[in-house]
Amino acid sequence: MYCPACSSPILATDARCINCNKLLIESSEKKSEEFKKAAEFVDNKIYYGVGAFIGFLITLAFFYPDQELMTKASPIGAVVGGLIGRYFAKQQWK
């Protein structure tokens, strides 16, 4: 392997370059912070989608006899369910 800064030969286990003293190991703290943000983003999307689907189904079941009211209320139920799902996702990441 070679140092990315000065191109001098280094071992794969070296933490710093002997020639230029460049740090060769990235901070795991930065990577874990990026992972946390990505996981939170995915959780928000999943919880929103599941909540929207459940809200849509509950609205369909509740307004089933009245077809006209059901078609008007189903999107509202989906949005409300999605927002409730997002709320639960935010509570998980506190």
Side-chain angles (χ1 to χ4, degrees):
M1 290 183 62
Y2 295 95
C3 174
C6 67
S7 300
S8 54
I10 56 171
L11 297 175
T13 57
D14 287 345
R16 291 192 177 272
C17 175
I18 295 172
N19 190 31
C20 68
N21 205 27
K22 175 171 174 41
L23 183 64
L24 301 171
I25 300 173
E26 292 183 33
S27 171
S28 63
E29 186 175 303
K30 180 182 176 188
K31 287 193 177 199
S32 61
E33 191 64 35
E34 289 173 1
F35 174 78
K36 181 181 175 188
K37 286 181 183 180
E40 186 175 356
F41 176 78
V42 170
D43 274 357
N44 280 333
K45 296 295 180 185
I46 290 172
Y47 275 70
Y48 186 86
V50 169
F53 183 68
I54 291 172
F56 179 76
L57 290 179
I58 289 172
T59 308
L60 282 179
F62 189 71
F63 293 111
Y64 180 70
D66 188 359
Q67 294 290 327
E68 186 178 328
L69 188 58
M70 183 176 66
T71 57
K72 292 179 182 177
S74 295
I76 295 169
V79 170
V80 171
L83 293 175
I84 291 171
R86 183 167 283 173
Y87 170 77
F88 282 118
K90 294 287 183 187
Q91 293 302 312
Q92 178 186 353
W93 283 96
K94 277 190 173 183

